[in-house]
């Protein structure tokens, strides 16, 4: 969808290395989210942000950190990548909370070898 | 905690047949409920949402869903399925500032 971009689209990295995924939006939305999608698990929330420098943990936050230094960018960092973090990562944005519904990015496919 | 269950992992329907995908939620108050669709290799697209009012909600692509509080359900329906509807479908419930998603139902459409 226009207005939200994830980079990179694909990445292969080695176990133990740090990895940063970027989500960029041009919609000036307050809320931004990181989810991971795995077969049989659906989408699980990693972290979310409700404003610049305001973030909170989701269901599966261990091993991940986030930063939001400006409205348009939300970064997800895998501090030391493990094979269990091989997944498809989706960013989503939302203007004013849960009743609007999200707009999703196209995803980043991360493989940890 | 708010949660969503989609009992069917896979569903196969013939093109032109009707479709119903099941979703059950667990939530103490009136829930905010959503259905999303994901085509292969793509992100998720919002089909429809419910948070108050008429319990029968119309969405895009000819889909509708009915909220039934007594059954804690929010099932997705379509009267006549097209081959292009083959995708994965996710039900979600609002949980604070975020959404909790079900595990998804994969829809296969046969000729």
């Amino acid at each position: 969808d226009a207005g939200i971009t994830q980079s990179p689209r694909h990445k292969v990295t080695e176990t133990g290395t740090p990895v940063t995924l970027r989500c960029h939006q041009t919609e000036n939305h307050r809320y931004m989210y990181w989810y991971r999608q795995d077969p049989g698990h659906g989408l699980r929330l990693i972290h979310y942000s409700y404003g610049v420098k305001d973030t909170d943990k989701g269901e599966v936050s261990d091993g991940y950190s986030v930063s939001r230094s400006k409205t348009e960018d939300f970064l997800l960092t895998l501090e030391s990548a493990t094979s269990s973090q091989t997944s498809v990562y989706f960013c989503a944005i939302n203007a004013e909370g849960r009743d609007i519904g999200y707009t999703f990015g196209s995803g980043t496919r991360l493989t940890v070898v | 905690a708010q949660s969503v269950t989609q009992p069917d992992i896979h569903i196969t329907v013939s093109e032109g047949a009707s479709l119903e995908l099941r979703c059950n939620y667990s939530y103490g108050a009136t829930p905010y409920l959503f259905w999303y669709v994901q085509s292969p290799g793509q992100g998720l697209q919002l089909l429809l949402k419910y948070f108050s009012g008429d319990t029968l909600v119309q969405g895009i692509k000819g889909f509708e869903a009915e909220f039934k509080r007594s059954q804690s359900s929010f099932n997705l329906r379509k009267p006549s399925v097209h081959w292009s509807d083959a995708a994965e479908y996710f039900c979600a419930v609002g949980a604070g500032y975020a959404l909790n998603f079900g595990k998804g139902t994969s829809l296969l459409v046969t000729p």
Side-chain angles (χ1 to χ4, degrees), chain A residues 12-111:
Chain A
V12 179
T13 193
E14 294 187 347
T15 299
T17 61
V19 177
T20 296
L21 309 183
R22 181 183 185 233
C23 179
H24 178 77
Q25 61 145 330
T26 58
E27 305 296 322
N28 201 36
H29 284 347
R30 178 181 176 188
Y31 297 90
M32 299 185 74
Y33 308 83
W34 278 107
Y35 284 84
R36 60 178 289 174
Q37 183 178 25
D38 304 289
H41 291 277
L43 281 86
R44 293 178 290 174
L45 181 65
I46 306 171
H47 282 279
Y48 68 97
S49 169
Y50 47 96
V52 173
K53 299 190 187 304
D54 292 323
T55 64
D56 206 351
K57 296 179 179 180
E59 175 188 359
V60 290
S61 61
D62 287 348
Y64 301 94
S65 62
V66 290
S67 66
R68 191 168 178 201
S69 59
K70 46 187 177 177
T71 299
E72 56 265 36
D73 289 324
F74 192 34
L75 304 180
L76 176 71
T77 297
L78 287 65
E79 294 141 8
S80 177
T82 68
S83 58
S84 65
Q85 294 176 311
T86 292
S87 186
V88 180
Y89 292 85
F90 285 99
C91 177
I93 60 175
N94 193 4
E96 286 297 336
R98 61 181 178 171
D99 62 334
I100 302 297
Y102 294 173
T103 299
F104 278 87
S106 298
T108 294
R109 182 173 295 276
L110 177 67
T111 302

Side-chain angles (χ1 to χ4, degrees), chain A residues 1 9 30-31 33 35 37 40-45 48 50 59 90 94 97-107 109, chain B residues 2 27 30-32 34 36 38 41-46 49 51 88 90 93-104:
Chain A
D1 270 72
R9 289 297 310 275
R30 178 181 176 188
Y31 297 90
Y33 308 83
Y35 284 84
Q37 183 178 25
H41 291 277
L43 281 86
R44 293 178 290 174
L45 181 65
Y48 68 97
Y50 47 96
E59 175 188 359
F90 285 99
N94 193 4
R98 61 181 178 171
D99 62 334
I100 302 297
Y102 294 173
T103 299
F104 278 87
S106 298
R109 182 173 295 276
Chain B
Q2 301 90 336
Y27 190 67
T30 299
Y32 288 51
F34 304 81
Y36 285 83
Q38 183 183 33
Q42 302 297 314
L44 280 74
Q45 181 183 22
L46 179 65
K49 60 186 178 183
F51 46 91
E88 186 133 22
F90 292 93
V93 62
Y97 295 123
L99 297 183
N100 285 345
F101 286 84
K103 295 182 179 181

